[in-house]
Every structure is written in C-alpha cells, then in structure tokens.
Amino acid sequence: GISTESGIPDFRSGGGVWVRFDPRDFDIRRWTSSEEVRRRYWAATRESYPRVLEAESSEGHNALARLSRAGKLSLLITQNTDGLHQKAGHEPKKIVEIHGTSHFCVCVGCVEWLPRREVQARIQGGEKIPACGGCGSFLKPDAVFFGEPIVPERLSRAVDGAEAAQVFLVAGSSMAVRPAGALPEKALMAGARLIIVNDSPTRLDGSAHALLRGRIGEILPALAGAVLG
C-alpha cells in the first residue's frame, strides 16, 4: 500500500505483517477470548507502534493531500490506520478511515476511547494487557480486526462517496478485503471512471479505464502535477 514507502509494512506482500504474525491472532473472537493472544499483540507493539509514530508521510500521501487542498479530491477512503494522510496535511474531515485508526484505543466493555499514546506508555512501562480505568475491561486498538463490523457511519460515507464519484482512484490496494474492496465496483456501476495505481496486478485491472503500474511515490506526484499544472 501507500504507506510501505513510509517504512510501514503492508499485510500481504513479502516481508509484510502476515509473514511475522499469525493472521488468526487478528480475528476478533480469538483476540477477545485469548489472554495469550492479547499479551502477544501488546508485546509486539512495543516495537511496532513507535515505528508508526516516527513514520513520515510519503510522496504518495503528499500528492493526494495537494489534490485535496486544491479541491480536486472530494473524499479519501483509506484502509490504512496509521494516520499518515493527516500527517501529510489532508483535512481529517475529508478522510474516511474505514478500518479505524491505530492512534486510539477503545474499551470493549464501556466503549470509552483513549489516546493510544497514553495506553502505549503503560505498555512501555511494563503493563502486559492494558485495562480500562473505568470499568476494568480490556482495551483494544480502534483498528478493525477480522470478524469485527465496520462502524456504520464510516461505511455509509464511503459508499456514498464511491457512488457520487466521477473518477475513482485506487492507489496501492489489492481490493481483496471487503467491503472496502467492493467500493470501486460501486463507483463503476454508478458511472465513474476507474484509475488503478498499483505495483502488482489486481482483480479489477480489466475494468480500469486507466491502469498505471509502478511505485505510488512516483506515479501519484506525476498525476497531481498533471492535474494542478
């Protein structure tokens, strides 16, 4: 995806997250039912979350932010949870983080939200499985796990945006995970033009009006330059 050029690994490519972690540990039923799975997750974040905080937005992030500020990109729908689009200067109100954010945690009991920095400081200080200070239930990152429903408001905004689009640009997505992966098809059915920018083939290459193969950090700035002059 777009954040790999910022040093954040994606999930499915060589060296990605699934090479180092068992995908089953990110199933919400397994995660909530197993203390050992939660312990492994939080232990791993001692190394992984600081990398997310330190990451800088890539040329791809920056190009999309420029398009948005110029009024050429009405809505950005991202499956990433790292917040790098905001770091690039993209207005938060023009972003739908359809899979949530890694920068907040939520209590599975009382649904209280806590800044991830606060929770992570507790982990770095030696806490094994962080618990809610209010009700005592355990905390999880706001990022959506397998089997966990997407927040209806986020999905509704994403679908509305796809169906209203004149041009739908896909950048760095395999489109393998639904419902986010089905949004380009919704845009096509509503009459949009589809542009795909990706380093490897996708299942919708044959439906694209423009297919641009290569690095996002090179192609998106060129596209933005062509649009903005």
Side-chain angles (χ1 to χ4, degrees), residues 116-221:
R116 177 68 175 266
R117 286 177 182 266
E118 294 180 12
V119 177
Q120 202 65 32
R122 291 158 53 182
I123 296 297
Q124 301 297 130
E127 191 169 343
K128 304 298 184 184
I129 303 176
C132 175
C135 72
S137 296
F138 57 82
L139 302 173
K140 72 171 290 292
D142 176 63
V144 173
F145 284 19
F146 292 128
E148 190 174 15
I150 290 173
V151 174
E153 180 187 2
R154 294 172 184 164
L155 182 58
S156 176
R157 282 191 68 204
V159 170
D160 289 347
E163 293 179 340
Q166 293 177 312
V167 177
F168 194 99
L169 171 66
V170 177
S173 174
S174 67
M175 293 177 277
V177 177
R178 293 175 181 267
L183 293 173
E185 289 157 308
K186 290 185 178 295
L188 282 170
M189 288 189 289
R193 309 279 291 180
L194 176 63
I195 302 173
I196 297 177
V197 179
N198 210 33
D199 200 28
S200 55
T202 78
R203 63 183 183 82
L204 287 182
D205 286 358
S207 301
H209 295 87
L211 180 61
L212 305 175
R213 187 80 72 221
R215 293 182 64 249
I216 290 174
E218 295 175 354
I219 295 176
L220 290 187

Side-chain angles (χ1 to χ4, degrees), residues 35-186:
E35 182 175 312
E36 180 55 32
V37 167
R38 297 194 297 275
R39 191 186 309 276
R40 285 200 300 267
Y41 170 82
W42 289 111
T45 67
R46 291 192 182 97
E47 175 188 348
S48 61
Y49 188 64
R51 289 175 60 189
V52 174
L53 286 178
E54 293 164 4
E56 296 296 333
S57 58
S58 68
E59 289 303 313
H61 293 110
N62 298 338
L64 293 176
R66 290 200 303 274
L67 287 170
S68 180
R69 289 194 296 268
K72 302 298 184 181
L73 182 61
S74 59
L75 185 68
L76 186 146
I77 304 163
T78 180
Q79 294 171 270
N80 293 345
T81 65
D82 50 44
L84 289 179
H85 288 293
Q86 292 91 326
K87 189 174 278 191
H90 207 116
E91 286 185 76
K93 68 180 181 180
K94 292 185 178 180
I95 301 175
V96 177
E97 293 178 301
I98 195 167
H99 288 169
T101 173
S102 294
H103 298 300
F104 280 88
C105 291
V106 61
C107 172
V108 300
C110 66
V111 201
E112 180 183 0
W113 270 41
L114 291 172
R116 177 68 175 266
R117 286 177 182 266
E118 294 180 12
V119 177
Q120 202 65 32
R122 291 158 53 182
I123 296 297
Q124 301 297 130
E127 191 169 343
K128 304 298 184 184
I129 303 176
C132 175
C135 72
S137 296
F138 57 82
L139 302 173
K140 72 171 290 292
D142 176 63
V144 173
F145 284 19
F146 292 128
E148 190 174 15
I150 290 173
V151 174
E153 180 187 2
R154 294 172 184 164
L155 182 58
S156 176
R157 282 191 68 204
V159 170
D160 289 347
E163 293 179 340
Q166 293 177 312
V167 177
F168 194 99
L169 171 66
V170 177
S173 174
S174 67
M175 293 177 277
V177 177
R178 293 175 181 267
L183 293 173
E185 289 157 308
K186 290 185 178 295

